[in-house]
Amino acid sequence: MNMWVTGANGFIGRHLVRVLADQGNRVHGIGHGAIGEAERRRIGLEHWLNGEIDAANLNALAERSELPSTIFHLAGGSSVGLSIEQPYEDFSRTVNSTVRLLEWMRRSASECRLIVASSAAVYGAHHSGKIPEHAELRPVSPYGHHKLMMEQLCKSYAACFAVESTVVRLFSVYGAFLRKQLLWDMCSRLQRGQRELVLGGTGDELRDWVHVNDVARLLSSFAARRQQEKFQAINGGCGEGTTVAEVADVVTKSWGGEAGVRFSGVVRPGDPFSLVADDRKVRALPFAWGVPLSQGIADYVRWFKEDAR
Amino acid sequence: MNMWVTGANGFIGRHLVRVLADQGNRVHGIGHGAIGEAERRRIGLEHWLNGEIDAANLNALAERSELPSTIFHLAGGSSVGLSIEQPYEDFSRTVNSTVRLLEWMRRSASECRLIVASSAAVYGAHHSGKIPEHAELRPVSPYGHHKLMMEQLCKSYAACFAVESTVVRLFSVYGAFLRKQLLWDMCSRLQRGQRELVLGGTGDELRDWVHVNDVARLLSSFAARRQQEKFQAINGGCGEGTTVAEVADVVTKSWGGEAGVRFSGVVRPGDPFSLVADDRKVRALPFAWGVPLSQGIADYVRWFKEDAR
């Protein structure tokens, strides 16, 4: 099948392209960032259009390849912090790219399926326990607000124009090539020789960690699924809450040698205490998560030591 | 006070500008559409910038006038039908104008208050009875979806950047200079000599009719009110449901002569059966609606016959 990935140059995008290509699909991408020829072939991309997601560029990509059967929409803001520093930029990346893509699909590829990477940030910080998809959506950051607006657009185009979409609300995705957040920060400090790591927060924060290989497999699986409703939202989380302290412990153990971790107790405003998926819907697809957290972290540490230049 | 009105060239905008100017404010406007000099003075606008709502134009307006104490944001899509024909255009008018305005305020006028005209369309078509502000928001049309996204942006900028806003969800606003919808269509047909009017729907549809003079007064009143929360949404409806058949009856009676009205029974998909405000919040401001429906319609018919060229 002919499949497109927006934001194919990003952390999840590159993993997804590899999975899709390995399944025998022809994969084309659009989004920001230069990808060299060798690199493009290595990750499995047939065409890469480095540019804004707009009608002109989407038409150009369609001419070079052909109309896609499925588009995976991964382009968009990817940092809560940046969304606070530059909310307009985050809005443009997330919301404007989505409306332009949907409008282009409405006019030029209305039979194409759309799989969208959203974020658990749409739920906000007021939930405890496992969060089902129908929970109240009360995001905290501009990042979360804009992801919610992106979902709203998908709903609107599904209901009014029959552009089918599946929105996957991803929880804490980690894995090789993620060059930010907890694992990256810890590994960077351990590599610099620090043996007393002080981390923000209390350490008790609960997150639902999912490995990027599983996430790529989950996203790719929607291409072949018939969906019941024109719009559906589904949690991309495994339903297991693990504290930051536990994760930090696995990181230091995987790294080897002696290292201690302390928590500053300083909680970032708006940072949810608990963000864990109710995973009934994703399990019922059916879908089984494959990578255990301890193994995923060990793999990350190995990647960091060997390949993360 | 120095006040700005976006979309000042629109139906509600022109009424609002007049009210604000009559209260002794200096009123400046920005939005699409040419306004001649004489007309500009007549409606009470000091400056009118005919253009897109973006940082460059907002800066230009600030140079010509001065920074506003309050901005009334009335620019945006104004037609459900057009939003279905051209959803991207409706999105741009409603959502993009709002994010650019909020971003400009965040950087250049963060002390300024923002009063936003939203729509009861954000509620959707599944409510019966009076709709309170905390009701579930499940819009049907792209128009309603985009208004909801506009509200979401206001919420985000209020919570994350302390840009204060009040969103007023307007119900069925009517009055002189409204050149579309039920009253305009009926008067146009009566003037062409039709005496058997066939209207869409069943005639039993309930709407909450509010006169544009009252709406302008309501909107203007927020400039002087302190608000408790950085973001608030409030119904701009009087809480009284009147059927389309009753309204049609008043129109034909006000017009004079003999005329009959029939309903086709064909309901537009997504058209809510009932759209009536729970008005407790607006009454508690306090605010009292002034123009009774029968008088408002009689005034409209008189305006149509005498001035609507």
Side-chain angles (χ1 to χ4, degrees), chain A residues 117-185:
Chain A
S118 183
S119 164
V122 297
Y123 291 119
H126 64 297
H127 299 276
S128 61
K130 297 188 178 187
I131 310 173
E133 287 84 354
H134 58 75
E136 193 199 10
L137 305 176
R138 215 194 315 151
V140 175
S141 62
Y143 172 84
H145 278 281
H146 298 155
K147 294 293 184 200
L148 179 51
M149 292 173 71
M150 175 184 77
E151 292 193 9
Q152 193 88 35
L153 277 168
C154 291
K155 249 191 214 172
S156 175
Y157 273 78
C160 304
F161 307 111
V163 177
E164 278 193 15
S165 56
T166 295
V167 159
V168 186
R169 294 179 183 146
L170 298 172
F171 282 69
S172 297
V173 187
Y174 73 99
F177 298 100
L178 180 60
R179 294 170 196 273
K180 59 181 179 183
Q181 299 169 0
L182 182 65
L183 301 194
W184 177 259
D185 291 344

Side-chain angles (χ1 to χ4, degrees), chain A residues 83-85 87-88 91 95-96 99-100 103 106 139-142 145 148-149 152-153 155-157 160-161, chain B residues 83-85 87-88 91 95-96 99-100 103 106 139-142 145 148-149 152-153 155-157 160-161:
Chain A
S83 82
I84 294 168
E85 277 171 46
Y88 184 73
F91 171 89
V95 186
N96 271 334
V99 73
R100 289 200 218 98
E103 180 69 4
R106 177 177 83 89
V140 175
S141 62
H145 278 281
L148 179 51
M149 292 173 71
Q152 193 88 35
L153 277 168
K155 249 191 214 172
S156 175
Y157 273 78
C160 304
F161 307 111
Chain B
S83 82
I84 294 167
E85 277 172 46
Y88 185 72
F91 171 89
V95 185
N96 271 334
V99 72
R100 288 200 219 98
E103 181 68 5
R106 177 176 85 90
V140 174
S141 62
H145 278 281
L148 179 51
M149 292 173 70
Q152 192 88 36
L153 278 168
K155 249 191 214 172
S156 175
Y157 273 78
C160 304
F161 307 111

Side-chain angles (χ1 to χ4, degrees), chain B residues 23-53:
Chain B
Q23 289 169 353
N25 298 295
R26 304 182 64 175
V27 191
H28 314 280
I30 177 170
H32 285 294
I35 306 181
E37 276 304 285
E39 176 73 350
R40 185 179 59 67
R41 273 192 297 273
R42 194 185 65 74
I43 60 178
L45 263 184
E46 202 160 313
H47 289 102
W48 170 245
L49 197 155
N50 175 6
E52 201 74 61
I53 295 162

Side-chain angles (χ1 to χ4, degrees), chain A residues 208-273:
Chain A
D208 188 326
W209 305 87
V210 282
H211 194 273
V212 67
N213 287 356
D214 281 339
V215 168
R217 200 164 45 81
L218 172 63
L219 291 171
S220 75
S221 75
F222 285 105
R225 296 182 204 276
R226 282 294 96 217
Q227 67 185 70
Q228 306 299 320
E229 302 186 57
K230 291 200 184 306
F231 171 86
Q232 63 180 9
I234 192 158
N235 279 340
C238 68
E240 209 171 302
T242 308
T243 66
V244 170
E246 288 174 272
V247 167
D249 192 49
V250 180
V251 173
T252 52
K253 292 220 170 80
S254 299
W255 190 273
E258 291 297 303
V261 172
R262 276 193 307 119
F263 289 89
S264 70
V266 180
V267 178
R268 275 187 309 184
D271 209 23
F273 178 73

Side-chain angles (χ1 to χ4, degrees), chain B residues 121-128 138-140 270-275:
Chain B
V122 297
Y123 291 118
H126 64 297
H127 299 278
S128 61
R138 216 196 312 154
V140 174
D271 209 23
F273 178 73
S274 174
L275 212 47

Side-chain angles (χ1 to χ4, degrees), chain B residues 7 14 22 35 39 52 70 95 111 119 145-146 171 174 181 192 221 242 258 261 292 296 299:
Chain B
R14 283 171 170 239
D22 287 349
I35 306 181
E39 176 73 350
E52 201 74 61
T70 304
V95 185
E111 297 299 300
S119 164
H145 278 281
H146 299 155
F171 282 68
Y174 74 99
Q181 298 169 358
R192 286 199 298 272
S221 75
T242 308
E258 292 296 306
V261 172
D299 287 352

